[in-house]
Amino acid sequence: MSLGAHYKEIKKFLELFGTSLVAVTKQQSEEKVDEILALGHRLFGENKVQEAKQRWRDSDRLQKCPDIRLHLIGGLQTNKVKEAVALFDVIETLDSEKLVAALAKEIQKQKKNIECFIQVNTGRELQKNGVMPDVLESLLHSAIQEHGLRVTGLMCIPPVDEDPVPHFILLRNLAKQHGLQHLSMGMSGDYKQAAEQGATFVRVGTALFGERI
Ligand SMILES: *Cc1c(COP(=O)(O)O)cnc(C)c1O
């Protein structure tokens, strides 16, 4: 099936639930990126700041299509905060006090209107990014009340070897409890379940573009 056919099929499914598609372009070919742009898609996810900068800013794609919106979906180091704030519209991976402080300072400096989601480690996995569910409340307080960040949602990546649905439900309940509008959950293998559970954004790479290069 062609990229166009995959795209239409995924979009058609997501439309039933009002879920937006974040097309994950990391490690995809230039041709495929241009093809999906030609189809009119404008919402993209990248996991690395440097790679995103090359693909979107240095390539002139952002200049040609100023309505492109970029989500950062990978972990952010504080030494990359300046570049990330300059490039992204949504940072989905807020997960520490240190990052909250660094982001707040840089967003003020650049006078940018950036939305943040907090990444929650719903599976309580040791090596994974994201805050543990019981620490969410204090990080939210710090981010919103103390630093004035616009936190509008939550994001999660369920453990690979588990049924993702209980994780999606946990994330949805946490967002509801804290009055947060957005839920970024679901990838190529589970975006349908995520949409059914109320995802406002799914992040899909390989199911759309094929294997990464
Ligand atoms: C790479 C990545 C995705 C997309 O993964 P696919 O399985 O290719 O859909 C989604 N979310 C995050 C955080 C990623 O790093």
Side-chain angles (χ1 to χ4, degrees):
M1 223 162 60
S2 67
L3 170 53
H6 283 291
Y7 179 61
K8 277 193 199 115
E9 189 178 288
I10 295 171
K11 288 276 284 185
K12 196 173 156 197
F13 181 85
L14 294 177
E15 242 163 53
L16 300 171
F17 301 93
T19 305
S20 298
L21 172 65
V22 176
V24 178
T25 35
K26 67 179 187 202
Q27 295 167 255
Q28 294 292 348
S29 70
E30 301 292 316
E31 290 75 19
K32 285 177 180 171
V33 173
D34 288 330
E35 196 179 337
I36 198 163
L37 275 172
L39 291 168
H41 195 72
R42 292 294 181 267
L43 177 57
F44 298 96
E46 293 280 354
N47 71 332
K48 293 204 171 81
V49 177
Q50 214 54 42
E51 188 186 331
K53 203 167 155 232
Q54 282 174 11
R55 181 167 297 115
W56 298 104
R57 167 123 329 128
D58 303 349
S59 67
D60 279 356
R61 288 188 177 105
L62 271 174
Q63 238 172 333
K64 283 187 199 136
C65 308
D67 53 342
I68 286 172
R69 287 181 59 85
L70 298 177
H71 285 211
L72 179 64
I73 61 172
L76 178 58
Q77 306 286 324
T78 46
N79 64 354
K80 296 273 171 61
V81 161
K82 187 175 171 183
E83 286 175 295
V85 167
L87 185 63
F88 289 95
D89 299 287
V90 178
I91 291 175
E92 297 200 7
T93 50
L94 197 53
D95 68 353
S96 72
E97 293 282 352
K98 192 177 160 198
L99 195 52
V100 161
L103 264 178
K105 198 171 152 195
E106 192 59 38
I107 287 172
Q108 251 182 350
K109 202 166 155 190
Q110 296 190 29
K111 298 188 167 52
K112 288 221 22 185
N113 191 13
I114 288 182
E115 281 180 53
C116 300
F117 300 168
I118 291 183
Q119 182 175 353
V120 182
N121 187 349
T122 57
R124 300 171 177 275
E125 294 172 283
L126 284 179
Q127 298 305 324
K128 204 164 226 166
N129 288 342
V131 292
M132 295 296 173
D134 42 307
V135 185
L136 175 62
E137 187 160 1
S138 73
L139 190 64
L140 270 172
H141 181 85
S142 162
I144 300 171
Q145 264 79 31
E146 290 167 30
H147 288 91
L149 285 179
R150 269 183 76 205
V151 182
T152 58
L154 301 178
M155 179 269 217
C156 77
I157 307 171
V160 286
D161 51 354
E162 284 182 31
D163 177 3
V165 171
H167 296 274
F168 297 156
I169 293 172
L170 171 60
L171 199 72
R172 185 182 68 208
N173 288 339
L174 288 169
K176 190 173 178 204
Q177 191 183 325
H178 295 290
L180 299 167
Q181 178 190 359
H182 289 298
L183 283 173
S184 172
M185 55 192 199
M187 309 178 16
S188 286
D190 54 15
Y191 72 86
K192 290 185 178 175
Q193 287 113 304
E196 285 162 0
Q197 295 302 331
T200 59
F201 294 102
V202 291
R203 311 175 305 267
V204 180
T206 48
L208 184 58
F209 298 109
E211 289 307 317
R212 286 180 273 276
I213 50 177

